Amino acid sequence: MIDILICDAYLYIDHEQEIPDGWIAIEKGRVHSVGSTDQPPPTAARVISARGRLVTPGLVNAHHHMYQNLTRSYAPATRMPLFAWLQALYPLWAGLDADCVYVSSYVAMVELLLGGCTTSMDHLFIHPRPRLVDEQFRAAREIGFRLYATRGSMTRAQEDGGLPPIALVQDEDTVMADCERLVATYHDPAPGAMGRVALGPVSLFSSSERIMRESLAMAERLGLRLHTHLAEDMAEDDCCLNLYGCTPTEQFERMGWASPRTWVAHYIYPSTSEIDRIARAGVGVVQCPSSNMMIGGGSADALDMRERGIHVGLGCNGSATTDHASMWMETRNAMLLGRAGHGPQAMGAREALDMATRGGAACLGWEDEIGHLRPGACADLVIWHASDVALAGALTDPVEGWLRCGPAVAGTTIVAGKVLVENGEPVMAALGDVLREHARQARRIQQRD
Ligand SMILES: [Zn+2]
């Protein structure tokens, strides 16, 4: 018996297939079958009508820092460039503890679900107390969210030419031991995994060469993926020139990181030849449109990178530079950036949606199972909702209408075959208590009690 049948939908399966009047059947957490209404669907325990709605794969958030929702729109830092913004927030983030990470991750995942995201990576690079990533997996398990945690680290303090204060820096042995423990405990390489772990020294300007090399060695030994921020800000160029005598991309290549097991966030300031080398090496790139525009430091040329063969995903990167976590909004902003840079013929909703699904999945090395709705895929999908007012007059193309009108939010979000958002509302009974604790922790972190 099929668990859930969604019928009367406009189905976006992937970049190659759409079914205008279709159904999709879910069984045991997987897409069982898809079809159009002239092919009778299988009988199901539960039938959900998606009449007039677009159904897409769940969006994949390929770069995020969930804990930062504790310091959203922090007034003293809202007009600062990246490095100053980081230095203004480090002292607040030094207050992170297990309770903070649990509630901020919980809230972030619910917010992501409401914005149509079903799989997210998270890059937690501040570890003032031990066992913080464990709390993220606790929240993900309770919600039923698919989490690709990235154990970040900062190992180069201001005294060594880095950016963070010494109090927030860890030594390499501590970081690597925790990485090994987390991988042994939470990394599930099996198909349909709900949790995986990648290794993520934060950036070339706040990470030591030793942690870069040892992370690579561990990733090769254990079959893990690697992630970092790269070429995010012009100040990073100066920093790398001082520290290493070369550009960020050159140092990244010297460290042996330019390989298909790596995906990087931002990549705003490479040269054309560097982009071509990164493309040939198979490195994935995450564009973070809202964050990039908010911080005012430029944004990756996603269209150009796609044409050069790079897998480009999208990320929320925050919340504290973007202050929101809607992958719908990132997808829309990616489309707007592409059109602003290259003209209206260059990009539409489908290219942006492809980045938010297949592109992000490829960044995570997971494109076989997520980011599409072909039979056998993980049953991670969204029935989108926009108000009748917002969609009035949008008759000709449900995918373009979805991204050009709006705002669109998830009416129903399903992860691994389980309904986690229903009628636009999260189903988690604990959410109210979590939000109250989140408010308490945010006040404490921001030292407002
Ligand atoms: Zn980031």
Side-chain angles (χ1 to χ4, degrees):
M1 173 76 97
I2 298 298
D3 299 319
I4 298 175
L5 177 74
I6 297 166
C7 56
D8 300 325
Y10 187 100
L11 272 181
Y12 175 95
I13 305 289
D14 63 11
H15 63 297
E16 293 177 327
Q17 188 185 10
E18 296 174 19
I19 305 176
D21 194 4
W23 52 262
I24 180 166
I26 297 169
E27 184 185 55
K28 297 190 175 81
R30 299 268 176 186
V31 176
H32 171 272
S33 49
V34 298
S36 63
T37 42
D38 52 14
Q39 304 160 290
T43 53
R46 180 177 179 191
V47 177
I48 300 174
S49 170
R51 184 169 297 282
R53 303 292 182 202
L54 174 68
V55 173
T56 71
L59 308 184
V60 178
N61 183 16
H63 185 70
H64 206 46
H65 309 288
M66 294 181 180
Y67 75 90
Q68 292 181 5
N69 64 24
L70 291 158
T71 55
R72 286 204 249 224
S73 62
Y74 180 64
T78 49
R79 290 179 182 257
M80 291 177 178
L82 179 66
F83 278 25
W85 176 85
L86 282 167
Q87 284 172 323
L89 284 161
Y90 285 145
L92 278 61
W93 296 341
L96 275 188
D97 63 12
D99 290 341
C100 281
V101 171
Y102 171 74
V103 294
S104 59
S105 300
Y106 197 108
V107 169
M109 290 175 209
V110 172
E111 186 178 11
L112 286 165
L113 289 167
L114 290 168
C117 169
T118 52
T119 298
S120 182
M121 72 80 78
D122 192 64
H123 194 189
L124 181 57
F125 58 84
I126 298 209
H127 296 265
R129 287 162 192 81
R131 294 184 175 253
L132 298 183
V133 176
D134 303 64
E135 297 298 318
Q136 301 196 278
F137 278 110
R138 179 160 74 97
R141 194 168 51 242
E142 289 175 9
I143 293 170
F145 193 84
R146 207 180 294 280
L147 176 66
Y148 211 131
T150 300
R151 204 301 185 179
S153 58
M154 298 198 294
T155 50
R156 186 188 290 278
Q158 282 162 8
E159 290 80 350
D160 303 315
L163 201 64
I166 189 90
L168 285 180
V169 165
Q170 292 183 295
D171 69 78
E172 290 88 348
D173 291 338
T174 302
V175 173
M176 295 314 298
D178 196 43
C179 288
E180 185 115 24
R181 181 188 69 81
L182 287 166
V183 171
T185 310
Y186 299 105
H187 181 64
D188 180 2
M194 295 303 291
R196 289 184 180 169
V197 178
L199 309 182
V202 65
S203 64
L204 293 174
F205 56 86
S206 298
S207 302
S208 60
E209 294 192 78
R210 187 181 152 205
I211 201 73
M212 297 296 288
R213 292 191 194 284
E214 293 195 8
S215 298
L216 172 63
M218 182 179 285
E220 289 178 341
R221 176 165 59 86
L222 299 177
L224 307 172
R225 296 189 69 72
L226 290 166
H227 182 68
T228 192
H229 297 84
L230 186 65
E232 179 178 5
D233 194 282
M234 281 303 282
E236 184 179 339
D237 274 39
D238 299 336
C239 199
C240 280
L241 196 61
N242 287 335
L243 283 171
Y244 311 116
C246 63
T247 69
T249 300
E250 287 165 352
Q251 178 64 9
F252 178 82
E253 292 171 317
R254 282 183 200 171
M255 294 286 99
W257 270 54
S259 89
R261 78 166 69 246
T262 306
W263 86 107
V264 298
H266 303 302
Y267 210 43
I268 301 168
Y269 293 105
S271 68
T272 304
S273 71
E274 287 176 336
I275 293 173
D276 282 333
R277 295 206 302 275
I278 288 298
R280 278 197 299 278
V283 177
V285 172
V286 188
Q287 185 192 40
C288 303
S290 306
S291 169
N292 294 160
M293 287 191 281
M294 193 70 90
I295 211 96
S299 192
D301 188 340
L303 284 176
D304 179 62
M305 289 186 183
R306 274 163 63 91
E307 280 176 12
R308 291 170 192 272
I310 294 179
H311 292 301
V312 182
L314 300 178
C316 294
N317 187 36
S319 308
T321 49
T322 25
D323 300 314
H324 77 93
S326 160
M327 278 297 293
W328 177 84
M329 202 180 317
E330 294 308 329
T331 309
R332 179 178 166 88
N333 283 341
M335 177 177 75
L336 296 180
L337 273 177
R339 293 169 70 94
H342 295 273
Q345 76 289 347
M347 192 166 187
R350 284 174 176 80
E351 287 88 348
L353 177 55
D354 189 46
M355 288 200 281
T357 50
R358 193 168 59 120
C363 284
L364 302 184
W366 214 334
E367 62 271 43
D368 55 337
E369 289 194 307
I370 64 173
H372 65 87
L373 292 176
R374 299 190 298 272
C378 292
D380 297 1
L381 56 94
V382 186
I383 305 174
W384 291 94
H385 175 78
S387 74
D388 291 342
V389 174
L391 287 174
L395 305 179
T396 49
D397 186 334
V399 179
E400 285 289 338
W402 165 73
L403 205 54
R404 295 167 73 109
C405 309
V409 294
T412 303
T413 307
I414 295 176
V415 180
K418 295 194 173 59
V419 176
L420 301 186
V421 174
E422 192 164 18
N423 298 321
E425 295 291 334
V427 302
M428 302 86 206
L431 181 59
D433 289 341
V434 171
L435 282 170
R436 277 185 287 280
E437 181 62 14
H438 188 282
R440 206 176 69 79
Q441 294 291 348
R443 291 188 69 80
R444 182 180 69 77
I445 287 273
Q446 296 184 36
Q447 296 149 21
R448 299 186 69 80
D449 272 338

